[in-house]
Amino acid sequence: MWDRFLASDPGLLRLLSALSTVCAVLLTLGALAAVDASVPVLVAGALTAMVSTVAITERRPHDQALTLAAGVPVALVVVVIGSALTPYRVLADVVFVAVIFAALYIRRLGPRATTLGVFAFQLFFVTQFVGTRLAQLPHLVPTVLVAFTASALVRFALLRSPPERTLARLHRALRLRLALMLDALIEVAEGGPGTSRAARAADDLRRQAARLHAGALMIRSRLDPGTPDRGLAATVQRRVAEAETAAERLAVLVLRLVWPAADIDTLTRYLTPVHRTDSRLDVRVAVSLPALASTLRALRTAVRPGHGRPGRTDSTTSWADDAKVRDRLLGHPDDERLSDAPPALQDAVRCAGDFARALSDLRLAVDAHTSTPQDSPEAARSAKEQDPQDSDPAEDVVPRREAPHVRPTTRTALQVATGSALAVVGGELLSPQRWYWAVFTCWVVFINTSSTGDLLVRGYRRLVGTVTGVVAGLALAALTGGRPWPAFALVILSVFGMYYTATVSYTLMSFFVTTMIGMLYALLHSLTPGVLVVRIEETALGIACGLAAALLVLPAPTREHTDRLLQEVLERLRAVLARSLARLCGEPGGGPLGPARALDAALDGLRLAVQPLITPLSPLRSRRRTALAVLGLLETAALHTRGLAGTAESTPAGIRVGPEHCLVDEARRIDRNLAALIGQVAGEDADATALQRGPGTTARPAVGGEGARVEDLRTTRRVLRHLERVDQSIQGLARTLGVPVRDDP
């Protein structure tokens, strides 16, 4: 259970974020209670501590300290202005809308400006929620200072997490996710085809593969900021990519063994599962499956990290175990000991060895990054095998497209300001005392949304969370009976739940927000069922006003946004293929793993953008099917492109991939197809966008020339296999999007 918890929260980042917020609030409340502050001041201090802790997004501690220091004068000015305008309702409304526009407009200046804008909005909201006055400033100013001081104390002292410790935790979570993936693989191998056990395990395997990919991206994103040794950070990134690629390839090979007729080539969850295809195993494969399961269990033993604290490794035992397992799995470097096994089984066993070696190299790289010296022969070997190009920083090889006429920050600022103005008017008509909830809802549903469909889905989830939170708030208020400290305790629990679930479920976060608000109203002695009903009405009004503004002011249709992101994904896919093939052919240039990381990030952005289309509640069933097919094909292409990039990075210099003319011809045709598909998505002339169908597997017999080495043939087959699957995915994507595909002349 503990391992699964660690795997579900890589690096304990969500837990630390929630604990930091709770500790800052508790320190603030303790300091204010010591001077016998009033309940409104306590509420203002708790909300300020919460905002000052969670709004900062920079990774480097130095940048965080500068942003926190810059936020103090901004917060004080906003509190003074908000307190002065509280008695003047109309003027306060106008200024609130202006603050909202400015807070969103300055996001173009970077993360620090974004954080200062959040400070301005949230603290103006606090003054209106609590109803502060100028006469309370002698208490409010020290309250703001205490809240910011508590936030700094928690961030830089009490719960300080050095980058090395965070990386060690992320590494442990990655290995745990690898272990869960291997558990599913063992179930598949032991269950065999046609069994419900193997089918369930295959479904679980796809889920674990997606979570593994998310964990790998998280490690890579945490390495660049604030890393003093960029070469070492690049090495860790390379080792993470190698481990992920080896795990994905091993999973595909095992699935292909168990379901040979399905010709499985992807782990995506968005395509129709193919493991339900009826098939019969080759007799030799059926006999060898128990041995393969035993190999996977041995690999599972090596994957599982020790029980020690993050950042500390039991080097003597763990390195010895890793070396034994790796040497056992790498005991088949050629066909001598596997000559009687089917080729597919040979590939699976060799891939298990590659996986074991990738794990060992990853642990060595992470230990080097976390300043844990290793004097073993494995450490020396890994250091010797590091490519000098590992020290080169990753570059973005995709040229920047021309920016739209209206910047996204300007569009969002105008939309939210318009929606907030409508929410102010409607909120005042609905409830002159609680009007600000409509404005607050309009603000939060726009944060991190990029299209009208995304806004609609987020608004629906917020409304569901609000309704359930109202019920919970009334029940908990009845239990506390108006006593302040139990209510404050429930506020603290709600704050923890709010930020622990923020990145997991927007509905749960909204539930905890509303529960917290109910407790705050109970502390202010103004909680009634009517107040919380107004909360629901104001929330619905804010969502409606935000949606109206998104439709009327510089609208950003979901189709237009997803097409732009799809074009970016295809461009990055093309760049990774070009880099990988150039490296395999010995041409000069940078490594492909940097562009591969950019491809993964772009695909994640597209996956998030199409959520409004693929949600089960979407009434557009045809568009939902198309979006699911596009995602599945893109994930398949990205998986094999990552595999190609990993092959290019890990192939020794002496390996010759050939014949080169076959590889070059295939690469040029795939590149032309990608260029044509990109042009079609960009809206160019459809007559010039027909894709060219290639020879497929007919080029394979040409790779086995007389005198060719086994290593060369094996690498060439792997490269051609990846290229073939990428080509099939691109052609499938073209057919899905209605782009013509013509036969190779």
Side-chain angles (χ1 to χ4, degrees):
M1 292 294 293
W2 177 245
D3 286 349
R4 287 184 175 270
F5 171 75
L6 293 178
S8 67
D9 184 13
L12 299 179
L13 298 179
R14 290 191 290 122
L15 179 64
L16 289 175
S17 174
L19 285 178
S20 297
T21 307
V22 167
C23 289
V25 171
L26 288 176
L27 285 176
T28 302
L29 292 177
L32 296 177
V35 296
D36 200 21
S38 62
V39 170
V41 173
L42 289 173
V43 171
L47 293 175
T48 304
M50 188 167 56
V51 172
S52 61
T53 303
V54 302
I56 298 177
T57 58
E58 286 99 338
R59 299 278 172 80
R60 297 181 179 89
H62 176 71
D63 294 336
Q64 296 174 3
L66 291 178
T67 302
L68 197 62
V72 174
V74 172
L76 292 175
V77 170
V78 170
V79 167
V80 171
I81 294 175
S83 300
L85 295 178
T86 300
Y88 310 101
R89 188 70 276 128
V90 176
L91 185 57
D93 293 346
V94 173
V95 173
F96 199 7
V97 173
V99 168
I100 290 171
F101 177 83
L104 291 169
Y105 187 79
I106 64 174
R107 291 193 303 168
R108 66 181 65 192
L109 301 179
R112 183 165 300 152
T114 300
T115 301
L116 295 180
V118 172
F119 285 162
F121 168 81
Q122 296 279 12
L123 288 172
F124 197 98
F125 171 81
V126 167
T127 62
Q128 306 305 302
F129 173 71
V130 179
T132 59
R133 297 291 192 271
L134 283 176
Q136 296 174 298
L137 285 181
H139 302 287
L140 291 175
V141 170
T143 298
V144 171
L145 296 176
V146 167
F148 272 82
T149 302
S151 177
L153 185 62
V154 170
R155 181 182 298 274
F156 302 116
L158 296 182
L159 292 179
R160 178 176 174 269
S161 182
E164 297 81 7
R165 188 181 304 167
T166 300
L167 177 60
R169 292 196 189 103
L170 288 171
H171 173 228
R172 177 178 172 81
L174 184 73
R175 290 174 67 91
L176 286 168
R177 289 190 169 181
L178 287 169
L180 292 173
M181 195 169 172
L182 282 172
D183 287 340
L185 265 182
I186 294 170
E187 288 289 311
V188 170
E190 292 180 343
T195 63
S196 58
R197 174 187 178 186
R200 288 193 302 269
D203 289 335
D204 184 48
L205 177 64
R206 297 174 193 277
R207 288 191 295 270
Q208 297 300 338
R211 294 169 183 170
L212 171 66
H213 182 59
L217 285 179
M218 189 175 295
I219 289 182
R220 298 175 204 173
S221 66
R222 289 270 163 177
L223 281 172
D224 288 336
T227 302
D229 190 343
R230 297 189 61 107
L232 192 55
T235 302
V236 175
Q237 290 178 339
R238 173 182 171 179
R239 300 310 186 195
V240 169
E242 288 174 351
E244 180 192 3
T245 303
E248 291 174 336
R249 182 167 175 264
L250 178 61
V252 170
L253 289 175
V254 173
L255 290 177
R256 288 172 64 86
L257 268 175
V258 177
W259 287 281
D263 195 24
I264 299 171
D265 63 343
T266 180
L267 297 176
T268 180
R269 298 170 295 164
Y270 296 108
L271 295 177
T272 302
V274 293
H275 58 259
R276 305 190 188 282
T277 304
D278 294 331
S279 60
R280 292 185 179 180
L281 289 181
D282 181 270
V283 175
R284 292 182 300 167
V285 173
V287 171
S288 303
L289 273 181
L292 177 61
S294 176
T295 298
L296 293 174
R297 281 192 293 270
L299 187 56
R300 171 66 172 81
T301 302
V303 168
R304 194 189 187 287
H307 290 286
R309 294 173 57 187
R312 298 178 59 185
T313 57
D314 47 344
S315 57
T316 303
T317 303
S318 60
W319 286 121
D321 292 343
D322 263 7
K324 289 178 182 178
V325 173
R326 193 195 69 253
D327 291 342
R328 171 190 166 186
L329 296 175
L330 288 178
H332 310 287
D334 48 42
D335 290 339
E336 292 181 3
R337 298 177 63 182
L338 292 173
S339 56
D340 296 334
L345 185 61
Q346 295 180 26
D347 288 342
V349 173
R350 291 193 189 94
C351 187
D354 294 340
F355 189 11
R357 178 169 179 168
L359 285 172
S360 178
D361 291 343
L362 174 60
R363 175 179 286 180
L364 287 163
V366 170
D367 284 342
H369 195 282
T370 54
S371 302
T372 304
Q374 297 291 343
D375 299 326
S376 66
E378 301 302 324
R381 178 191 59 78
S382 180
K384 183 178 179 180
E385 291 183 356
Q386 286 183 16
D387 195 317
Q389 291 188 7
D390 282 345
S391 60
D392 295 337
E395 59 177 309
D396 192 353
V397 297
V398 175
R400 291 185 177 274
R401 293 188 298 273
E402 183 179 355
H405 297 296
V406 180
R407 291 186 178 183
T409 51
T410 304
R411 172 188 282 113
T412 303
L414 289 172
Q415 288 177 337
V416 179
T418 302
S420 298
L422 295 174
V424 166
V425 175
E428 289 280 7
L429 295 175
L430 188 61
S431 174
Q433 291 79 29
R434 317 293 178 195
W435 60 274
Y436 40 76
W437 286 125
V439 182
F440 185 80
T441 300
C442 184
W443 163 281
V444 296
V445 296
F446 263 104
I447 297 300
N448 296 327
T449 57
S450 51
S451 65
T452 306
D454 197 7
L455 178 66
L456 184 61
V457 172
R458 180 176 283 245
Y460 161 77
R461 291 172 177 170
R462 184 168 187 85
L463 187 59
V464 171
T466 299
V467 172
T468 54
V470 162
V471 176
L474 287 172
L476 293 174
L479 289 176
T480 59
R483 296 185 297 274
W485 289 113
F488 262 125
L490 290 174
V491 167
I492 296 301
L493 290 177
S494 298
V495 170
F496 178 86
M498 184 194 322
Y499 291 105
Y500 187 74
T501 61
T503 58
V504 177
S505 171
Y506 190 72
T507 301
L508 278 176
M509 187 194 73
S510 301
F511 167 81
F512 284 114
V513 168
T514 305
T515 303
M516 179 194 70
I517 289 168
M519 294 299 97
L520 292 178
Y521 274 130
L523 288 170
L524 296 172
H525 304 289
S526 57
L527 177 65
T528 62
V531 167
L532 293 181
V533 169
V534 170
R535 158 76 174 165
I536 296 176
E537 295 172 344
E538 295 279 358
T539 299
L541 177 64
I543 295 170
C545 292
L547 186 60
L551 292 172
L552 298 176
V553 181
L554 301 174
T558 304
R559 177 73 175 269
E560 176 185 321
H561 180 60
T562 54
D563 283 351
R564 185 169 62 252
L565 292 178
L566 175 59
Q567 181 182 351
E568 182 182 357
V569 171
L570 293 174
E571 288 174 347
R572 296 193 181 280
L573 182 67
R574 186 183 181 192
V576 178
L577 288 173
R579 279 288 185 91
S580 301
L581 293 170
R583 181 149 184 166
L584 286 168
C585 293
E587 299 177 7
L593 286 184
R597 292 195 300 273
L599 168 64
D600 290 336
L603 186 55
D604 276 356
L606 177 64
R607 191 181 296 111
L608 182 64
V610 301
Q611 287 303 310
L613 298 177
I614 65 176
T615 178
L617 296 176
S618 174
L620 307 175
R621 312 309 294 178
S622 176
R623 291 187 65 184
R624 183 175 186 270
R625 288 192 296 270
T626 300
L628 288 172
V630 167
L631 274 182
L633 291 166
L634 284 175
E635 287 195 348
T636 302
L639 184 147
H640 287 281
T641 303
R642 284 197 302 273
L644 188 63
T647 302
E649 284 280 355
S650 60
T651 299
I655 297 295
R656 181 179 179 273
V657 179
E660 293 186 5
H661 67 85
C662 170
L663 186 64
V664 171
D665 290 344
E666 281 292 287
R668 287 176 177 172
R669 185 181 58 80
I670 293 173
D671 185 76
R672 288 195 301 270
N673 285 347
L674 271 173
L677 192 56
I678 290 170
Q680 174 69 21
V681 173
E684 297 178 359
D685 185 10
D687 294 337
T689 59
L691 274 65
Q692 185 179 23
R693 185 180 291 111
T697 58
T698 58
R700 286 197 168 196
V703 304
E706 186 175 352
R709 296 182 305 174
V710 174
E711 296 83 0
D712 296 342
L713 292 177
R714 191 177 299 147
T715 303
T716 301
R717 291 193 185 101
R718 183 183 298 183
V719 169
L720 289 176
R721 172 76 177 181
H722 286 312
L723 281 177
E724 179 186 355
R725 293 308 187 184
V726 171
D727 186 32
Q728 291 174 353
S729 298
I730 293 171
Q731 293 183 31
L733 185 61
R735 288 189 290 269
T736 302
L737 298 177
V739 180
V741 180
R742 59 184 174 86
D743 291 331
D744 190 15

